[in-house]
Amino acid sequence: MLDFNLNENQQLIAEMVRSFGVKEITPFRKEWDDTSFFPIEIFKKLGELGLMGVLVPTEYGGSGFSYTEYVTAILELSKIDPSIGLSMAAHNSLCTGHIMMFGTEEQKRKYLPKLATCEWLGAWGLTEPNTGSDAGNMRTVAIKDGEYYILNGAKNFITHGISGDVAVVIARTGEVGDSHGMTAFVIERGTPGFKGGRKEDKLGMRASETAEMIFEDCKVHESQVLGKVGDGFIQSMKILDGGRISIAALSLGIAEGALEASIQYSKERHQFNKPISSFQGISFKLADMATQLEAAKLLTFKAADLKNRGEKVTLAGAQAKYFASEVCVSISNEAVQIFGGYGFTKDYPVEKFYRDSKLCTIGEGTSEIQKLVISRDILK
């Protein structure tokens, strides 16, 4: 059964992230957001704390924690700056997670220790300019040539597309539309024909780098294939099952940050000679926000618990991601409303939570895709 108390590891992680954030993130948060600066040194420091290899077994230099600790780490980081939470989650769940789940022993020994310490930052490439939700129609192709594959194409909206030292990339090795016609490759930065492209100028999550990855006659040795040839798309769907739990955790952090700021402000802000928290219009908003957040937490930790037990998380992960992401947009929206005119300024944190929240309903499968996943599962 689920234990709703934070375990000792979770408590230690939460405290560690909070004290790290006060010193290393909060003072620079606005500047990074304003200038779209990607603070790569922060991730190196998070690597030293063991937060860039949360799920990686200790034998490969990771922290060897479970999904429960992982959710806590993302949540606490995202309360401070959702951009940092997003990049940390993408590195752990997608790139590192893919190699951990499908790599050979040799591949794991080569890449996981460097990723777990963030000596190398990870990227993961599935999305393309013309294929967002329709990943099966990808145009990036890998053609076999002796012992090598020659990759041509482009990926976009990739977290760490420019700065990632190693990328897991899904490319077509079969027919268009064939779910067994795609293969996963692990490609190191510096491989000829592989380069970063345009960096996106975004509404929110501005301190997390989102960019293109471009492949022009990029020669990749067959030893860089992850798992079996043709299994790339199937692998990706399994990776996203777990990755969605991390986006749910990211959503929880944003929602909790926005709620805490709203509660504090509503007690300090006086109108008509009393704190605005004493007005039903405000107190009822706070009641709704707190209840929505609690429900989202339960779904997310339930999904994490299933993942820890090695059970299938397709349905639970999609439900947690869908509900938590929509709730985080709703709570951030209400937070801006509670702050009134001040909520619309950059002097207070809620406008940033509001902008950052929207990505949660889009990244790693839109809310509409989650509904598709959920409905297919319950109608089976």
Side-chain angles (χ1 to χ4, degrees):
M1 263 316 283
L2 269 173
D3 178 359
F4 294 110
N5 297 310
L6 291 186
N7 65 36
E8 195 182 349
N9 284 336
Q10 286 174 280
Q11 285 170 342
L12 288 171
I13 286 170
E15 283 159 23
M16 177 175 77
V17 171
R18 280 178 212 140
S19 59
F20 177 82
V22 167
K23 198 162 99 247
E24 303 282 356
I25 300 173
T26 309
F28 314 104
R29 184 171 56 193
K30 185 175 184 307
E31 184 192 334
W32 295 342
D33 183 63
D34 288 346
T35 60
S36 235
F37 177 74
F38 178 56
I40 196 152
E41 287 312 310
I42 286 297
F43 299 100
K44 304 287 182 194
K45 288 177 183 173
L46 286 173
E48 287 167 23
L49 296 178
L51 291 177
M52 299 301 272
V54 184
L55 303 164
V56 175
T58 51
E59 67 194 272
Y60 302 111
S63 300
F65 286 139
S66 77
Y67 247 76
T68 319
E69 283 89 3
Y70 181 43
V71 164
T72 302
I74 297 170
L75 190 162
E76 292 296 337
L77 210 45
S78 304
K79 266 168 76 172
I80 303 162
D81 188 341
S83 301
I84 306 301
L86 172 66
S87 269
M88 176 268 206
H91 170 93
N92 275 286
S93 284
L94 301 178
C95 178
T96 308
H98 202 134
I99 294 168
M100 200 162 75
M101 201 183 271
F102 297 106
T104 60
E105 188 55 35
E106 194 182 342
Q107 287 167 335
K108 287 180 191 176
R109 295 219 171 274
K110 183 176 180 185
Y111 293 109
L112 293 181
K114 286 190 162 108
L115 288 163
T117 56
C118 202
E119 181 188 332
W120 282 7
L121 183 68
W124 190 77
L126 178 67
T127 303
E128 296 185 1
N130 296 312
T131 62
S133 299
D134 182 17
N137 256 323
M138 68 174 58
R139 298 284 180 261
T140 299
V141 292
I143 293 166
K144 192 87 161 73
D145 181 16
E147 287 179 18
Y148 289 86
Y149 284 87
I150 311 298
L151 267 73
N152 279 289
K155 299 287 177 182
N156 80 332
F157 299 138
I158 306 304
T159 306
H160 314 143
I162 293 167
S163 299
D165 299 287
V166 60
V168 172
V169 179
I170 321 302
R172 168 166 312 294
T173 47
E175 293 304 309
V176 172
D178 176 10
S179 62
H180 289 279
M182 290 160 265
T183 301
F185 299 87
V186 55
I187 308 176
E188 292 170 35
R189 186 73 57 184
T191 302
F194 170 33
K195 62 178 184 183
R198 190 174 73 97
K199 182 176 168 177
E200 300 295 342
D201 186 9
K202 300 173 297 184
L203 167 74
M205 299 288 191
R206 290 172 58 82
S208 175
E209 178 186 277
T210 306
E212 293 174 310
M213 291 194 301
I214 296 165
F215 303 91
E216 291 169 344
D217 293 332
C218 178
K219 204 170 164 187
V220 182
H221 194 262
E222 61 190 4
S223 63
Q224 299 302 101
V225 168
L226 280 169
K228 286 199 194 101
V229 170
D231 275 1
F233 183 74
I234 309 298
Q235 291 172 11
S236 299
M237 294 304 105
K238 287 180 180 158
I239 294 301
L240 287 171
D241 279 348
R244 283 169 183 155
I245 302 171
S246 68
I247 300 294
L250 175 63
S251 305
L252 293 181
I254 295 171
E256 201 164 288
L259 175 61
E260 283 177 10
S262 300
I263 291 170
Q264 189 185 343
Y265 181 79
S266 73
K267 290 174 177 174
E268 293 166 0
R269 170 79 165 161
H270 282 65
Q271 294 283 270
F272 307 102
N273 303 317
K274 51 186 176 180
I276 63 170
S277 59
S278 66
F279 295 104
Q280 199 178 73
I282 300 296
S283 64
F284 277 21
K285 276 189 196 297
L286 293 169
D288 280 337
M289 290 156 80
T291 306
Q292 287 176 337
L293 174 58
E294 203 55 33
K297 264 189 187 166
L298 292 176
L299 280 171
T300 306
F301 278 99
K302 177 195 169 185
D305 185 55
L306 288 171
K307 183 84 177 153
N308 286 344
R309 288 190 272 150
E311 294 185 30
K312 196 163 183 269
V313 292
T314 305
L315 177 63
Q319 286 177 327
K321 195 269 189 197
Y322 167 52
F323 188 78
S325 66
E326 292 291 344
V327 155
C328 109
V329 172
S330 161
I331 289 176
S332 307
N333 179 35
E334 288 290 32
V336 171
Q337 195 70 17
I338 288 167
F339 274 74
Y342 291 110
F344 207 66
T345 71
K346 294 200 173 212
D347 299 334
Y348 290 86
V350 290
E351 69 84 32
K352 183 176 182 309
F353 285 130
Y354 184 51
R355 286 184 291 109
D356 289 347
S357 70
K358 194 58 203 157
L359 182 274
C360 297
T361 67
I362 297 166
E364 293 195 34
T366 59
S367 289
E368 291 70 25
I369 287 291
Q370 304 315 315
K371 289 191 210 181
L372 194 67
V373 171
I374 295 162
S375 59
R376 277 180 183 167
D377 199 284
I378 62 175
L379 292 169
K380 261 201 293 231

